Amino acid sequence: MAPTRTDELSGFIALLKAEGRRGVLGLDCGPGAEGLLFVRSGIHFTGVDSSEENIHAARARGLSASVATGRALPFADAAFAAVWAVDALAGLPRQAWDDVVRELKRVAEPGAPVAVALPEPGHPDLGRGFTVLRAPA
């Protein structure tokens, strides 16, 4: 049986804790449900989403969140100890993937884990293609 989204998130949180990472950027954070799981695990969460409605919902849950897209993140280079971006590539044309991944690696600290899911045509399960990349050291 393939791992579920919850399994992937739990495994990523365990990885962050094992490496002593205390913060994560959540790209396409939605209304913040996954962000709360990071916070409850003791990891500071900063979320971004292109939807103002989602950002309002995330902030109502007490999360730090702002409107942005994966192609232009409003953060300094190496600003985050980790990146959770499993929804970042879904719905984008394949030719845009490299730009988004490059931007994720830019805002991640050197060697930081960057979680993404590579969408597979015909598979609605966003957990398929899940992988953890490392920002260049």
Side-chain angles (χ1 to χ4, degrees):
M1 186 151 136
T4 67
R5 172 80 168 247
T6 302
D7 294 336
E8 302 294 10
L9 179 59
S10 296
F12 191 67
I13 288 172
L15 172 69
L16 299 187
K17 293 182 87 133
E19 293 185 3
R21 297 184 183 273
R22 307 234 183 272
V24 64
L25 169 65
L27 181 57
D28 291 343
C29 68
E34 291 178 346
L36 286 177
L37 296 175
F38 282 105
V39 170
R40 289 179 186 144
S41 296
I43 299 168
H44 177 74
F45 179 85
T46 301
V48 296
D49 198 283
S50 61
S51 163
E52 286 189 34
E53 183 178 324
N54 281 341
I55 294 304
H56 289 302
R59 287 179 179 165
R61 291 178 155 172
L63 297 172
S64 172
S66 57
V67 176
T69 68
R71 292 182 187 187
L73 294 169
F75 305 109
D77 293 357
F80 296 96
V83 179
W84 176 255
V86 295
D87 292 330
L89 303 179
L92 292 178
R94 189 175 207 107
Q95 60 270 25
W97 294 0
D98 286 344
D99 292 338
V100 173
V101 171
R102 221 177 347 269
E103 184 70 351
L104 296 176
K105 288 181 175 181
R106 180 190 68 77
V107 301
E109 293 176 353
V114 178
V116 295
L118 303 175
E120 296 179 32
H123 293 283
D125 179 6
L126 292 178
R128 295 183 64 90
F130 178 84
T131 191
V132 176
L133 308 171
R134 291 284 175 168

